[in-house]
Amino acid sequence: MPNIKSAIKRVKVSQKKTAVNKMYKSDLRTTVKKTYAAIETAADNAQELVNDAQIKIDKAAGKGYTHKNAAARQKSRLAKAYNKMSKA
């Protein structure tokens, strides 16, 4: 544990930011998993879930929780899976 006042504050701030980042990333992963599950079962609300997931992915990339290219890749894979489901 640091002794300097500013270093103590940096540790506290870093812990808070880490907790928030983990929360957002976890929520994003949960949403994406639920969306894929809905696509697999061809649920009626799959389109809504895909749209919600894409919005969350965009927001996460905009706030810096994920890289923009990783977000684009996730959105592309979601759309591809949904289109495959809707054609079948």
Side-chain angles (χ1 to χ4, degrees):
M1 190 68 185
N3 295 326
I4 300 169
K5 190 174 184 179
S6 61
I8 292 170
K9 182 179 179 182
R10 292 305 318 155
V11 168
K12 287 181 183 178
V13 169
S14 177
Q15 288 174 343
K16 284 183 184 178
K17 286 188 175 194
T18 300
V20 170
N21 289 345
K22 280 186 180 181
M23 180 188 67
Y24 278 113
K25 284 184 179 184
S26 175
D27 183 43
L28 180 64
R29 283 193 296 266
T30 303
T31 302
V32 171
K33 283 182 184 179
K34 285 182 181 178
T35 304
Y36 277 118
I39 289 171
E40 287 293 320
T41 60
D44 295 333
N45 63 344
Q47 176 64 41
E48 294 173 20
L49 290 174
V50 168
N51 290 340
D52 291 343
Q54 288 180 339
I55 289 169
K56 279 192 177 185
I57 291 169
D58 280 336
K59 285 185 180 181
K63 292 183 184 265
Y65 300 125
T66 59
H67 194 271
K68 63 178 186 172
N69 291 353
R73 183 178 64 243
Q74 284 181 328
K75 286 172 50 180
S76 174
R77 288 179 179 170
L78 269 175
K80 189 176 179 180
Y82 177 74
N83 289 337
K84 187 176 180 182
M85 178 213 61
S86 61
K87 287 182 181 179

